[in-house]
Amino acid sequence: MSEVYGWEFKDGPGDHFAATADHLFADIWSREALSIRDRRLLLIGLLTAQNLFDVAEIQIGAALGNGEFTPDQLRDAALFLCHYAGWPLGTKLDSVVGKVIAQQEKKK
């Protein structure tokens, strides 16, 4: 989970959180057919289509932090999604990508 979200994982409250986290990250994110990068790209597309940019921002930060994508690749993904998710959502994703890139460059 730490690799997927980009921060140190701490167990959340209740049995439901632990069961969900165990299944999602031990089973789903670790399957061999797709890489974490593949899954992340699918998830960013899905989050864009659902207008869930708060979660997309987390995924973009983790993707950059893990070196899975370059800033140019993420910008290109946003442009691609403009054509499939619609210009309002694609350009909003591009804004989020730009924000995360700027934040990470500031940390350097």
Side-chain angles (χ1 to χ4, degrees), residues 13-95:
D15 293 336
H16 296 286
F17 181 86
T20 299
D22 287 348
H23 170 67
L24 187 59
F25 298 104
D27 298 331
I28 303 303
W29 276 84
S30 63
R31 294 174 58 89
E32 294 182 14
L34 297 174
S35 68
I36 288 179
R37 183 184 192 276
D38 295 337
R39 285 181 174 81
R40 185 145 4 243
L41 191 57
L42 288 167
L43 185 53
I44 290 169
L46 177 69
L47 294 169
T48 298
Q50 293 180 335
N51 199 20
L52 296 172
F53 293 101
D54 53 341
V55 181
E57 184 175 337
I58 294 166
Q59 292 296 326
I60 291 163
L64 282 170
N66 291 339
E68 295 161 13
F69 295 95
T70 66
D72 287 342
Q73 289 170 326
L74 288 168
R75 285 190 173 107
D76 203 53
L79 178 61
F80 179 84
L81 287 171
C82 285
H83 292 85
Y84 289 93
W87 285 93
L89 294 173
T91 55
K92 192 168 182 180
L93 177 65
D94 187 62
S95 294

